[in-house]
Amino acid sequence: MENANLNVLFQEKRQQLNHFASQFTSDYDEKEDLVQETFIRALKSIHKFINDPKLMTWLYVIMKNIYINQYRREKRKNVIYDEYIHTDYFDSVAINQTENKTIQDDINRAIECLSQENADIFRLYLEGYKYQEIAETYDLPEGTVKSRIHVIRKTLKQKLKMYQIN
């Protein structure tokens, strides 16, 4: 399909997608990001749905999945933060930014000690990608990805044990 036709189609559907995005968030910028990301993801398979009466349903499902993945990413980041960084010292009112940077550097060094592929797999995991998506990216079985992430977490936990709460 030509770019001009896609542009017209997306302009026609933008208002409906904005309405859908309002169901997930009230923040204007987040809504815009959600709509744009939906269009980007839809481009991969738009030729299958272009004249399909279920086009809006398909776009809604894409948007919903994007929102859920973003939520999971944020939740996972908070879990990682709590698991590896949170200590009694950081409960105090004044947090020293230099010490936070040192801790972040320690985490980055620990990740860099992993093989390049394992480090990349773990970063994708932290960004909220599903095991299946990571497996497809690296052409690995899903079980292998799960196993690697488990081993990586144990390795990082051991390297960063000085930051764990007893």
Side-chain angles (χ1 to χ4, degrees), residues 39-98:
F39 284 145
I40 290 169
R41 298 246 178 116
L43 279 174
K44 294 177 185 174
S45 302
I46 194 72
H47 61 280
K48 296 177 187 174
F49 287 90
I50 203 68
N51 294 319
D52 194 319
K54 297 179 182 179
L55 175 64
M56 287 311 298
T57 304
W58 178 64
L59 291 173
Y60 177 80
V61 169
I62 291 173
M63 181 179 284
K64 180 178 148 193
N65 289 337
I66 291 168
Y67 181 78
I68 289 170
N69 286 340
Q70 287 173 344
Y71 172 78
R72 287 179 182 155
R73 260 184 227 118
E74 287 303 313
K75 188 175 176 185
R76 191 171 290 141
K77 284 180 186 177
N78 290 338
V79 167
I80 296 296
Y81 178 81
D82 290 344
E83 190 172 329
Y84 295 117
I85 298 178
H86 193 275
T87 64
D88 290 337
Y89 177 78
F90 291 101
D91 287 337
S92 65
V93 177
I95 297 177
N96 187 328
Q97 289 182 347
T98 304

Side-chain angles (χ1 to χ4, degrees), residues 15-148:
Q15 186 175 1
Q16 285 180 287
L17 287 175
N18 279 329
H19 175 70
F20 289 158
S22 296
Q23 296 174 2
F24 299 112
T25 182
S26 58
D27 183 85
Y28 176 80
D29 292 331
E30 286 181 22
K31 280 189 228 178
E32 282 299 309
D33 289 345
L34 207 50
V35 169
Q36 288 177 13
E37 185 66 26
T38 301
F39 284 145
I40 290 169
R41 298 246 178 116
L43 279 174
K44 294 177 185 174
S45 302
I46 194 72
H47 61 280
K48 296 177 187 174
F49 287 90
I50 203 68
N51 294 319
D52 194 319
K54 297 179 182 179
L55 175 64
M56 287 311 298
T57 304
W58 178 64
L59 291 173
Y60 177 80
V61 169
I62 291 173
M63 181 179 284
K64 180 178 148 193
N65 289 337
I66 291 168
Y67 181 78
I68 289 170
N69 286 340
Q70 287 173 344
Y71 172 78
R72 287 179 182 155
R73 260 184 227 118
E74 287 303 313
K75 188 175 176 185
R76 191 171 290 141
K77 284 180 186 177
N78 290 338
V79 167
I80 296 296
Y81 178 81
D82 290 344
E83 190 172 329
Y84 295 117
I85 298 178
H86 193 275
T87 64
D88 290 337
Y89 177 78
F90 291 101
D91 287 337
S92 65
V93 177
I95 297 177
N96 187 328
Q97 289 182 347
T98 304
E99 289 179 14
N100 278 343
K101 172 124 177 59
T102 302
I103 293 169
Q104 186 62 45
D105 290 345
D106 287 346
I107 292 171
N108 289 334
R109 268 191 238 96
I111 291 174
E112 288 171 5
C113 288
L114 302 170
S115 71
Q116 184 62 45
E117 186 176 56
N118 283 348
D120 291 342
I121 286 172
F122 193 69
R123 284 188 184 102
L124 288 176
Y125 171 75
L126 289 178
E127 290 174 11
Y129 286 87
K130 297 176 184 171
Y131 293 124
Q132 179 185 356
E133 294 170 325
I134 297 169
E136 289 172 2
T137 301
Y138 286 93
D139 195 29
L140 295 169
E142 188 175 334
T144 301
V145 171
K146 288 179 182 179
S147 175
R148 283 193 188 184

